PDB file of all heavy atoms in Angstrom:
ATOM      1  N   GLU S   1      -4.462   6.285   4.521  1.00 95.00           N
ATOM      2  CA  GLU S   1      -3.851   5.031   4.927  1.00 95.00           C
ATOM      3  C   GLU S   1      -4.890   3.908   4.912  1.00 95.00           C
ATOM      4  O   GLU S   1      -6.004   4.069   5.416  1.00 95.00           O
ATOM      5  CB  GLU S   1      -3.252   5.155   6.325  1.00 95.00           C
ATOM      6  CG  GLU S   1      -1.985   5.990   6.394  1.00 95.00           C
ATOM      7  CD  GLU S   1      -0.787   5.284   5.763  1.00 95.00           C
ATOM      8  OE1 GLU S   1      -0.858   4.039   5.583  1.00 95.00           O
ATOM      9  OE2 GLU S   1       0.196   5.970   5.444  1.00 95.00           O
ATOM     10  N   HIS S   2      -4.527   2.786   4.318  1.00 96.00           N
ATOM     11  CA  HIS S   2      -5.366   1.593   4.308  1.00 96.00           C
ATOM     12  C   HIS S   2      -4.409   0.413   4.418  1.00 96.00           C
ATOM     13  O   HIS S   2      -3.896  -0.082   3.428  1.00 96.00           O
ATOM     14  CB  HIS S   2      -6.195   1.528   3.027  1.00 96.00           C
ATOM     15  CG  HIS S   2      -7.301   0.518   3.059  1.00 96.00           C
ATOM     16  ND1 HIS S   2      -7.081  -0.830   3.272  1.00 96.00           N
ATOM     17  CD2 HIS S   2      -8.651   0.662   2.915  1.00 96.00           C
ATOM     18  CE1 HIS S   2      -8.231  -1.469   3.245  1.00 96.00           C
ATOM     19  NE2 HIS S   2      -9.198  -0.590   3.037  1.00 96.00           N
ATOM     20  N   HIS S   3      -4.193  -0.023   5.649  1.00 96.00           N
ATOM     21  CA  HIS S   3      -3.138  -0.997   5.922  1.00 96.00           C
ATOM     22  C   HIS S   3      -3.337  -2.290   5.134  1.00 96.00           C
ATOM     23  O   HIS S   3      -2.386  -2.845   4.570  1.00 96.00           O
ATOM     24  CB  HIS S   3      -3.071  -1.294   7.423  1.00 96.00           C
ATOM     25  CG  HIS S   3      -2.074  -2.360   7.775  1.00 96.00           C
ATOM     26  ND1 HIS S   3      -0.712  -2.152   7.715  1.00 96.00           N
ATOM     27  CD2 HIS S   3      -2.249  -3.664   8.146  1.00 96.00           C
ATOM     28  CE1 HIS S   3      -0.072  -3.267   8.054  1.00 96.00           C
ATOM     29  NE2 HIS S   3      -0.985  -4.189   8.324  1.00 96.00           N
ATOM     30  N   GLU S   4      -4.582  -2.774   5.085  1.00 97.00           N
ATOM     31  CA  GLU S   4      -4.823  -4.039   4.396  1.00 97.00           C
ATOM     32  C   GLU S   4      -4.515  -3.941   2.903  1.00 97.00           C
ATOM     33  O   GLU S   4      -3.884  -4.841   2.335  1.00 97.00           O
ATOM     34  CB  GLU S   4      -6.266  -4.484   4.620  1.00 97.00           C
ATOM     35  CG  GLU S   4      -6.555  -4.910   6.053  1.00 97.00           C
ATOM     36  CD  GLU S   4      -8.006  -5.295   6.262  1.00 97.00           C
ATOM     37  OE1 GLU S   4      -8.861  -4.805   5.502  1.00 97.00           O
ATOM     38  OE2 GLU S   4      -8.274  -6.079   7.193  1.00 97.00           O
ATOM     39  N   ASN S   5      -4.971  -2.861   2.276  1.00 97.00           N
ATOM     40  CA  ASN S   5      -4.689  -2.699   0.849  1.00 97.00           C
ATOM     41  C   ASN S   5      -3.196  -2.588   0.582  1.00 97.00           C
ATOM     42  O   ASN S   5      -2.669  -3.183  -0.363  1.00 97.00           O
ATOM     43  CB  ASN S   5      -5.407  -1.461   0.299  1.00 97.00           C
ATOM     44  CG  ASN S   5      -6.869  -1.707   0.010  1.00 97.00           C
ATOM     45  OD1 ASN S   5      -7.338  -2.846   0.040  1.00 97.00           O
ATOM     46  ND2 ASN S   5      -7.602  -0.649  -0.271  1.00 97.00           N
ATOM     47  N   ARG S   6      -2.510  -1.807   1.405  1.00 97.00           N
ATOM     48  CA  ARG S   6      -1.065  -1.646   1.218  1.00 97.00           C
ATOM     49  C   ARG S   6      -0.358  -2.989   1.344  1.00 97.00           C
ATOM     50  O   ARG S   6       0.511  -3.334   0.531  1.00 97.00           O
ATOM     51  CB  ARG S   6      -0.519  -0.645   2.235  1.00 97.00           C
ATOM     52  CG  ARG S   6       0.970  -0.346   2.055  1.00 97.00           C
ATOM     53  CD  ARG S   6       1.446   0.678   3.072  1.00 97.00           C
ATOM     54  NE  ARG S   6       2.865   0.948   2.921  1.00 97.00           N
ATOM     55  CZ  ARG S   6       3.389   2.142   2.702  1.00 97.00           C
ATOM     56  NH1 ARG S   6       2.602   3.199   2.584  1.00 97.00           N
ATOM     57  NH2 ARG S   6       4.698   2.302   2.595  1.00 97.00           N
ATOM     58  N   THR S   7      -0.745  -3.776   2.361  1.00 97.00           N
ATOM     59  CA  THR S   7      -0.130  -5.089   2.556  1.00 97.00           C
ATOM     60  C   THR S   7      -0.426  -6.010   1.388  1.00 97.00           C
ATOM     61  O   THR S   7       0.466  -6.691   0.863  1.00 97.00           O
ATOM     62  CB  THR S   7      -0.647  -5.721   3.864  1.00 97.00           C
ATOM     63  OG1 THR S   7      -0.277  -4.888   4.965  1.00 97.00           O
ATOM     64  CG2 THR S   7      -0.059  -7.110   4.067  1.00 97.00           C
ATOM     65  N   ASP S   8      -1.684  -6.039   0.946  1.00 97.00           N
ATOM     66  CA  ASP S   8      -2.057  -6.920  -0.168  1.00 97.00           C
ATOM     67  C   ASP S   8      -1.351  -6.521  -1.459  1.00 97.00           C
ATOM     68  O   ASP S   8      -0.914  -7.384  -2.233  1.00 97.00           O
ATOM     69  CB  ASP S   8      -3.573  -6.888  -0.379  1.00 97.00           C
ATOM     70  CG  ASP S   8      -4.324  -7.597   0.735  1.00 97.00           C
ATOM     71  OD1 ASP S   8      -3.690  -8.353   1.502  1.00 97.00           O
ATOM     72  OD2 ASP S   8      -5.551  -7.390   0.851  1.00 97.00           O
ATOM     73  N   LEU S   9      -1.257  -5.223  -1.717  1.00 97.00           N
ATOM     74  CA  LEU S   9      -0.595  -4.770  -2.939  1.00 97.00           C
ATOM     75  C   LEU S   9       0.875  -5.191  -2.956  1.00 97.00           C
ATOM     76  O   LEU S   9       1.397  -5.613  -3.992  1.00 97.00           O
ATOM     77  CB  LEU S   9      -0.715  -3.257  -3.080  1.00 97.00           C
ATOM     78  CG  LEU S   9      -2.106  -2.732  -3.420  1.00 97.00           C
ATOM     79  CD1 LEU S   9      -2.142  -1.210  -3.311  1.00 97.00           C
ATOM     80  CD2 LEU S   9      -2.534  -3.179  -4.817  1.00 97.00           C
ATOM     81  N   GLN S  10       1.527  -5.099  -1.810  1.00 96.00           N
ATOM     82  CA  GLN S  10       2.940  -5.475  -1.751  1.00 96.00           C
ATOM     83  C   GLN S  10       3.134  -6.980  -1.796  1.00 96.00           C
ATOM     84  O   GLN S  10       3.992  -7.479  -2.531  1.00 96.00           O
ATOM     85  CB  GLN S  10       3.581  -4.908  -0.484  1.00 96.00           C
ATOM     86  CG  GLN S  10       3.688  -3.399  -0.481  1.00 96.00           C
ATOM     87  CD  GLN S  10       4.577  -2.884   0.631  1.00 96.00           C
ATOM     88  OE1 GLN S  10       5.715  -2.486   0.387  1.00 96.00           O
ATOM     89  NE2 GLN S  10       4.055  -2.882   1.848  1.00 96.00           N
ATOM     90  N   GLU S  11       2.335  -7.712  -1.001  1.00 97.00           N
ATOM     91  CA  GLU S  11       2.558  -9.150  -0.890  1.00 97.00           C
ATOM     92  C   GLU S  11       1.937  -9.923  -2.054  1.00 97.00           C
ATOM     93  O   GLU S  11       2.598 -10.757  -2.672  1.00 97.00           O
ATOM     94  CB  GLU S  11       1.998  -9.651   0.448  1.00 97.00           C
ATOM     95  CG  GLU S  11       2.744  -9.071   1.649  1.00 97.00           C
ATOM     96  CD  GLU S  11       2.225  -9.603   2.972  1.00 97.00           C
ATOM     97  OE1 GLU S  11       1.229 -10.380   2.975  1.00 97.00           O
ATOM     98  OE2 GLU S  11       2.804  -9.242   4.017  1.00 97.00           O
ATOM     99  N   MET S  12       0.678  -9.639  -2.376  1.00 97.00           N
ATOM    100  CA  MET S  12       0.011 -10.372  -3.453  1.00 97.00           C
ATOM    101  C   MET S  12       0.408  -9.831  -4.819  1.00 97.00           C
ATOM    102  O   MET S  12       0.449 -10.566  -5.808  1.00 97.00           O
ATOM    103  CB  MET S  12      -1.499 -10.310  -3.262  1.00 97.00           C
ATOM    104  CG  MET S  12      -1.962 -10.925  -1.953  1.00 97.00           C
ATOM    105  SD  MET S  12      -3.738 -10.695  -1.638  1.00 97.00           S
ATOM    106  CE  MET S  12      -4.422 -11.788  -2.885  1.00 97.00           C
ATOM    107  N   GLY S  13       0.701  -8.533  -4.879  1.00 96.00           N
ATOM    108  CA  GLY S  13       1.159  -7.939  -6.134  1.00 96.00           C
ATOM    109  C   GLY S  13       2.642  -8.071  -6.343  1.00 96.00           C
ATOM    110  O   GLY S  13       3.149  -7.759  -7.428  1.00 96.00           O
ATOM    111  N   ASP S  14       3.357  -8.493  -5.300  1.00 96.00           N
ATOM    112  CA  ASP S  14       4.809  -8.662  -5.369  1.00 96.00           C
ATOM    113  C   ASP S  14       5.484  -7.407  -5.909  1.00 96.00           C
ATOM    114  O   ASP S  14       6.303  -7.448  -6.830  1.00 96.00           O
ATOM    115  CB  ASP S  14       5.163  -9.874  -6.238  1.00 96.00           C
ATOM    116  CG  ASP S  14       6.631 -10.262  -6.115  1.00 96.00           C
ATOM    117  OD1 ASP S  14       7.244  -9.934  -5.071  1.00 96.00           O
ATOM    118  OD2 ASP S  14       7.169 -10.877  -7.053  1.00 96.00           O
ATOM    119  N   CYS S  15       5.111  -6.275  -5.303  1.00 97.00           N
ATOM    120  CA  CYS S  15       5.639  -4.989  -5.753  1.00 97.00           C
ATOM    121  C   CYS S  15       5.773  -4.066  -4.542  1.00 97.00           C
ATOM    122  O   CYS S  15       4.798  -3.880  -3.808  1.00 97.00           O
ATOM    123  CB  CYS S  15       4.705  -4.373  -6.795  1.00 97.00           C
ATOM    124  SG  CYS S  15       5.280  -2.796  -7.466  1.00 97.00           S
ATOM    125  N   PRO S  16       6.923  -3.490  -4.303  1.00 96.00           N
ATOM    126  CA  PRO S  16       7.088  -2.629  -3.133  1.00 96.00           C
ATOM    127  C   PRO S  16       6.352  -1.306  -3.253  1.00 96.00           C
ATOM    128  O   PRO S  16       6.271  -0.723  -4.340  1.00 96.00           O
ATOM    129  CB  PRO S  16       8.599  -2.396  -3.071  1.00 96.00           C
ATOM    130  CG  PRO S  16       9.060  -2.541  -4.490  1.00 96.00           C
ATOM    131  CD  PRO S  16       8.177  -3.593  -5.090  1.00 96.00           C
ATOM    132  N   VAL S  17       5.794  -0.843  -2.143  1.00 97.00           N
ATOM    133  CA  VAL S  17       5.247   0.507  -2.057  1.00 97.00           C
ATOM    134  C   VAL S  17       6.385   1.415  -1.609  1.00 97.00           C
ATOM    135  O   VAL S  17       6.897   1.282  -0.497  1.00 97.00           O
ATOM    136  CB  VAL S  17       4.061   0.584  -1.085  1.00 97.00           C
ATOM    137  CG1 VAL S  17       3.633   2.036  -0.884  1.00 97.00           C
ATOM    138  CG2 VAL S  17       2.883  -0.236  -1.615  1.00 97.00           C
ATOM    139  N   LEU S  18       6.792   2.320  -2.455  1.00 97.00           N
ATOM    140  CA  LEU S  18       7.938   3.189  -2.187  1.00 97.00           C
ATOM    141  C   LEU S  18       7.572   4.359  -1.283  1.00 97.00           C
ATOM    142  O   LEU S  18       8.402   4.837  -0.516  1.00 97.00           O
ATOM    143  CB  LEU S  18       8.511   3.722  -3.500  1.00 97.00           C
ATOM    144  CG  LEU S  18       8.881   2.657  -4.550  1.00 97.00           C
ATOM    145  CD1 LEU S  18       9.267   3.331  -5.857  1.00 97.00           C
ATOM    146  CD2 LEU S  18      10.003   1.772  -4.034  1.00 97.00           C
ATOM    147  N   ALA S  19       6.324   4.835  -1.424  1.00 97.00           N
ATOM    148  CA  ALA S  19       5.873   5.990  -0.642  1.00 97.00           C
ATOM    149  C   ALA S  19       4.354   6.095  -0.773  1.00 97.00           C
ATOM    150  O   ALA S  19       3.745   5.444  -1.624  1.00 97.00           O
ATOM    151  CB  ALA S  19       6.535   7.276  -1.128  1.00 97.00           C
ATOM    152  N   GLN S  20       3.770   6.933   0.070  1.00 98.00           N
ATOM    153  CA  GLN S  20       2.340   7.201  -0.010  1.00 98.00           C
ATOM    154  C   GLN S  20       2.091   8.676   0.263  1.00 98.00           C
ATOM    155  O   GLN S  20       2.690   9.270   1.165  1.00 98.00           O
ATOM    156  CB  GLN S  20       1.555   6.354   0.999  1.00 98.00           C
ATOM    157  CG  GLN S  20       0.053   6.584   0.932  1.00 98.00           C
ATOM    158  CD  GLN S  20      -0.747   5.502   1.632  1.00 98.00           C
ATOM    159  OE1 GLN S  20      -0.209   4.452   1.995  1.00 98.00           O
ATOM    160  NE2 GLN S  20      -2.037   5.729   1.815  1.00 98.00           N
ATOM    161  N   LEU S  21       1.205   9.262  -0.540  1.00 98.00           N
ATOM    162  CA  LEU S  21       0.821  10.655  -0.375  1.00 98.00           C
ATOM    163  C   LEU S  21      -0.672  10.738  -0.082  1.00 98.00           C
ATOM    164  O   LEU S  21      -1.453   9.963  -0.641  1.00 98.00           O
ATOM    165  CB  LEU S  21       1.118  11.460  -1.646  1.00 98.00           C
ATOM    166  CG  LEU S  21       2.585  11.619  -2.040  1.00 98.00           C
ATOM    167  CD1 LEU S  21       2.693  12.316  -3.395  1.00 98.00           C
ATOM    168  CD2 LEU S  21       3.355  12.384  -0.981  1.00 98.00           C
ATOM    169  N   PRO S  22      -1.084  11.673   0.762  1.00 97.00           N
ATOM    170  CA  PRO S  22      -2.521  11.862   0.982  1.00 97.00           C
ATOM    171  C   PRO S  22      -3.167  12.529  -0.222  1.00 97.00           C
ATOM    172  O   PRO S  22      -2.502  13.220  -1.005  1.00 97.00           O
ATOM    173  CB  PRO S  22      -2.562  12.770   2.205  1.00 97.00           C
ATOM    174  CG  PRO S  22      -1.292  13.560   2.117  1.00 97.00           C
ATOM    175  CD  PRO S  22      -0.272  12.615   1.549  1.00 97.00           C
ATOM    176  N   LEU S  23      -4.451  12.306  -0.372  1.00 94.00           N
ATOM    177  CA  LEU S  23      -5.220  13.020  -1.397  1.00 94.00           C
ATOM    178  C   LEU S  23      -5.690  14.319  -0.765  1.00 94.00           C
ATOM    179  O   LEU S  23      -6.494  14.312   0.161  1.00 94.00           O
ATOM    180  CB  LEU S  23      -6.414  12.174  -1.846  1.00 94.00           C
ATOM    181  CG  LEU S  23      -7.215  12.709  -3.033  1.00 94.00           C
ATOM    182  CD1 LEU S  23      -6.353  12.759  -4.279  1.00 94.00           C
ATOM    183  CD2 LEU S  23      -8.445  11.828  -3.275  1.00 94.00           C
ATOM    184  N   VAL S  24      -5.187  15.449  -1.237  1.00 95.00           N
ATOM    185  CA  VAL S  24      -5.457  16.738  -0.593  1.00 95.00           C
ATOM    186  C   VAL S  24      -6.387  17.581  -1.456  1.00 95.00           C
ATOM    187  O   VAL S  24      -6.413  17.456  -2.690  1.00 95.00           O
ATOM    188  CB  VAL S  24      -4.145  17.506  -0.317  1.00 95.00           C
ATOM    189  CG1 VAL S  24      -3.277  16.735   0.678  1.00 95.00           C
ATOM    190  CG2 VAL S  24      -3.370  17.760  -1.599  1.00 95.00           C
TER     191      VAL S  24
END
């Protein structure tokens, strides 16, 4: 989880994040 990156990608990239998976 990286809240700032997720927010920037959605708002500045104008693209929804549909889901997130951990790197296992």
Side-chain angles (χ1 to χ4, degrees):
E1 287 288 342
H2 193 301
H3 176 72
E4 291 178 335
N5 280 350
R6 184 179 179 123
T7 298
D8 289 345
L9 289 171
Q10 292 192 104
E11 295 182 356
M12 300 174 70
D14 192 24
C15 182
V17 173
L18 306 173
Q20 181 164 348
L21 295 174
L23 187 63
V24 296

